[in-house]
Amino acid sequence: MNSDERAKGQTTDFLYPRNHPEWVNRYLPQMEYKGFRNALVSTLYNYNQNGRESNTCLNSAGKSVLLIWGKADKTLPLRFSDSIRSVLKTDFFPVDGAAHLPMIEKADTVNAKILSFLKG
C-alpha cells in the first residue's frame, strides 16, 4: 500500500469522514517521519487486541491512566477496551459521536477531559 492509499484509508477512522475533508493532506506529512511506518507494522504484529498479556506491562508503572475511546470506533471497537481495563485501573472516557479519532472529532470534549484529568 502506498502513502496516498494509506492516507485515504484513514478517513474510515472518522464517524463522519465528510466533516474532515482535509484529513488526507494532514495525514500524509506524518508518514515522512522516520519510524512511522515501522510503528504501524509493529502494532499489527505485536499488539494482541484480545489478550490481557499485551497490556500487563502497562500496569507496572503505577501511574494514573486516562483511557479515551470513541464509542463508534471500528478500527478498535469499544469491546477491546475491556482487555486494557481488566489489567489497568483507568479513568475510562468513552466518547459519544466519535470513532477512532475522538481527539479530532470531539476535540472540545476530549480536551476538557484531559485538562480535568491532569489537574486531578
Side-chain angles (χ1 to χ4, degrees):
M1 177 179 294
N2 69 34
S3 297
D4 288 341
E5 290 170 341
R6 178 167 293 285
K8 287 176 185 169
Q10 296 305 304
T11 59
T12 62
D13 284 342
F14 290 105
L15 184 57
Y16 302 107
R18 290 183 181 173
N19 293 345
H20 305 278
E22 77 292 347
W23 183 247
V24 171
N25 290 332
R26 292 179 64 195
Y27 188 86
L28 282 169
Q30 68 183 330
M31 295 182 74
E32 295 176 19
Y33 287 101
K34 183 179 180 179
F36 180 85
R37 288 189 178 106
N38 290 343
L40 292 177
V41 170
S42 177
T43 299
L44 289 173
Y45 285 114
N46 297 306
Y47 184 73
N48 178 357
Q49 297 170 355
N50 298 310
R52 294 170 56 118
E53 299 80 25
S54 62
N55 297 309
T56 303
C57 65
L58 297 172
N59 202 27
S60 64
K63 305 256 182 199
S64 298
V65 175
L66 173 60
L67 181 60
I68 301 168
W69 213 289
K71 285 185 175 180
D73 193 335
K74 292 180 221 149
T75 304
L76 290 171
L78 192 62
R79 70 181 184 278
F80 290 145
S81 70
D82 294 344
S83 69
I84 296 171
R85 293 184 295 137
S86 71
V87 295
L88 285 177
K89 182 180 177 188
T90 67
D91 181 345
F92 183 52
F93 188 62
V95 181
D96 286 319
H100 193 61
L101 301 169
M103 68 286 194
I104 296 170
E105 291 186 288
K106 295 293 182 176
D108 291 343
T109 302
V110 170
N111 287 339
K113 180 62 178 178
I114 292 170
L115 286 173
S116 171
F117 177 80
L118 293 174
K119 288 179 181 178

